[in-house]
Amino acid sequence: MRSLSLAVGVSLLQLACAFPAPPWPNTTAVGDAKAGPADLNDLAKKAGKMYFGTAVDNPQLDDKQYTDIAFNKAVFGQVTPANGQKYMYTERSRGTYSFVEGDAVVDKATAAGQLLRCHALLWYQQLPNWLTTGNFDNATLITIVQEHITAEVQHYKGKCYAWDVVNEALNEDGTMRKNVFLDTIGPSYIPIAFAAAAAADPDVKLYYNDYNIENPGAKSTGAANIVKDLQARKIKVDGVGMQAHFIAGSSPSYDSQLQNMKNFIALGVEVAYTELDVRITLPNSAEKTQQQATDYANAVKACVVTEKCVGITVWDFWDPASWVPSTFKGTGDATLFSAGFEAKPAVASIAQVLQGTT
Ligand SMILES: *[C@@H]1O[C@H](CO)[C@@H](O)[C@H](O)[C@H]1NC(C)=O
Ligand SMILES: *[C@@H]1O[C@H](CO)[C@@H](O)[C@H](O)[C@H]1NC(C)=O
């Protein structure tokens, strides 16, 4: 969701190198070819899922220790470009497209044989200024949106397993979030976006993606209503992406996650955890790190036992690359690996779930 900008990622990375060693045990070697608890994608596939994946952002592409893990298919079978496919990077001025940032991640993942979840075609943040300040009329903005989606989906045609077509269109109460598209076009911007994506690539899965839709409630119902509206209009929609930006100790319960997925699946769509992370209110402790492991494992288990939950994506796997500290002040340590690439207990607990041993 609201990820680091490319520039912020670099400064965070530098910052993180000054952090002291983490308090948790260094349990698991990663990135090597041996089968082991860190081969999360291999384990997920054995458990019947399509993938276990991660978001990857551009600043980390020069870090060999990072890329050795990120593009190791045994560990991560799927990659989501964290920022590079967003509107502000792909259409910096109207009608002028650049896919350089997105391609940098996509090309590495494709070479590694990893699936791609592509992210995101329409979102109210990280939009180019020409778009937000253009005062376009309805018909013009519809054309702009259709041209953007057509160009980007065609560029990545055949490379993406799925597209997050519309991201975060809902308020917490399930009503439509105010943004330039809603203000100018009205709620029909969503079917317009899905129809354009379907026309540009009939084979790619089309997802609605949002946060706080991981347990039943008004916002989850709002997401279901978006799916129903598209279906009523006979417009292709294939899945609901549950971002799952959780907080250790206050994540949705396992049972409510199961019920929530059932509600979506009853509409005839698949589901996925698309941006899973579990942030900790600092300072961290062994107890909080253990709670984090439990929360990660519950989400993964809920997906594993739900047939139409196709896979789990973590929103980066390395604390220095995480968007959390800059977005939620006083929290952090949200990913699976510490600054020193040491696996946290969450890695072992996820592996146990995938192996069916919990
Ligand atoms: C943690 O494990 C990795 C991989 O085996 C190893 O390279 C690293 O030196 C270990 N770190 C510590 C602090 O023991
Ligand atoms: C914008 O145009 C579309 C397509 O004609 C229409 O469905 C929609 O209601 C219009 N929105 C507004 C706010 O007039």
Side-chain angles (χ1 to χ4, degrees):
M1 54 191 271
R2 288 170 295 277
S3 311
L4 304 170
S5 73
L6 301 178
V8 172
V10 172
S11 60
L12 263 180
L13 188 151
Q14 287 156 349
L15 243 179
C17 296
F19 289 171
W24 46 81
N26 186 13
T27 48
T28 314
V30 294
D32 61 16
K34 287 197 304 265
D39 291 340
L40 299 175
N41 182 58
D42 284 353
L43 296 176
K45 290 177 86 166
K46 282 188 197 131
K49 300 295 101 175
M50 198 174 287
Y51 58 81
F52 190 96
T54 184
V56 171
D57 207 357
N58 295 62
Q60 279 71 55
L61 294 180
D62 296 328
D63 180 338
K64 188 173 182 308
Q65 223 181 335
Y66 178 94
T67 55
D68 280 353
I69 301 169
F71 300 109
N72 179 338
K73 196 181 170 185
V75 182
F76 298 115
Q78 174 271 323
V79 162
T80 304
N83 280 295
Q85 294 178 320
K86 288 174 181 169
Y87 216 129
M88 67 180 288
Y89 300 113
T90 51
E91 195 176 352
R92 288 173 195 262
S93 62
R94 187 176 170 189
T96 305
Y97 302 99
S98 166
F99 299 106
V100 174
E101 280 92 347
D103 287 354
V105 174
V106 168
D107 290 351
K108 282 190 155 57
T110 303
Q114 295 165 309
L115 293 172
L116 281 150
R117 293 197 81 263
C118 293
H119 175 84
L121 295 170
L122 276 200
W123 185 36
Y124 74 100
Q125 289 193 19
Q126 289 179 265
L127 291 170
N129 280 336
W130 66 263
L131 176 54
T132 49
T133 61
N135 285 311
F136 298 108
D137 64 23
N138 185 13
T140 307
L141 191 58
I142 289 174
T143 302
I144 286 171
V145 160
Q146 288 172 329
E147 287 176 351
H148 175 78
I149 291 174
T150 303
E152 182 152 22
V153 173
Q154 281 181 348
H155 177 79
Y156 288 109
K157 193 172 178 170
K159 295 189 174 166
C160 307
Y161 165 71
W163 265 109
D164 290 330
V165 179
V166 175
N167 193 40
E168 301 180 2
L170 293 168
N171 295 310
E172 293 306 293
D173 67 359
T175 58
M176 300 288 287
R177 184 197 285 272
K178 195 172 154 52
N179 62 37
V180 64
F181 309 112
L182 185 70
D183 289 350
T184 309
I185 303 173
S188 63
Y189 84 86
I190 295 181
I192 287 168
F194 275 82
D201 182 354
D203 298 323
V204 70
K205 301 277 185 194
L206 305 182
Y207 271 64
Y208 176 73
N209 193 54
D210 212 330
Y211 62 95
N212 288 351
I213 59 163
E214 301 83 14
N215 56 356
K219 195 170 185 182
S220 237
T221 302
N225 287 340
I226 287 174
V227 171
K228 287 183 198 168
D229 177 66
L230 290 165
Q231 291 172 333
R233 295 167 190 257
K234 307 235 179 305
I235 293 172
K236 181 172 146 74
V237 54
D238 300 292
V240 175
M242 304 165 293
Q243 292 184 359
H245 293 291
F246 290 163
I247 304 169
S250 34
S251 306
S253 73
Y254 173 71
D255 287 341
S256 68
Q257 292 184 60
L258 283 186
Q259 183 56 52
N260 184 61
M261 282 189 271
K262 283 202 186 99
N263 295 344
F264 288 135
I265 289 164
L267 304 176
V269 292
E270 63 183 44
V271 294
Y273 283 98
T274 55
E275 306 186 12
L276 177 62
D277 54 19
V278 183
R279 61 185 182 268
I280 281 173
T281 305
L282 301 173
N284 203 348
S285 66
E287 196 184 333
K288 289 179 185 176
T289 300
Q290 204 50 54
Q291 181 64 53
Q292 176 186 55
T294 302
D295 292 2
Y296 263 109
N298 277 338
V300 172
K301 187 171 177 181
C303 183
V304 165
V305 304
T306 300
E307 193 191 338
K308 289 196 77 180
C309 183
V310 297
I312 302 110
T313 308
V314 293
W315 204 246
D316 229 303
F317 62 90
W318 186 49
D319 281 343
S322 172
W323 71 301
V324 163
S326 63
T327 310
F328 304 102
K329 300 291 173 212
T331 74
D333 294 357
T335 76
L336 298 177
F337 293 90
S338 70
F341 289 101
E342 289 153 346
K344 300 181 193 175
V347 173
S349 65
I350 290 171
Q352 279 168 8
V353 162
L354 294 173
Q355 287 165 312
T357 50
T358 58

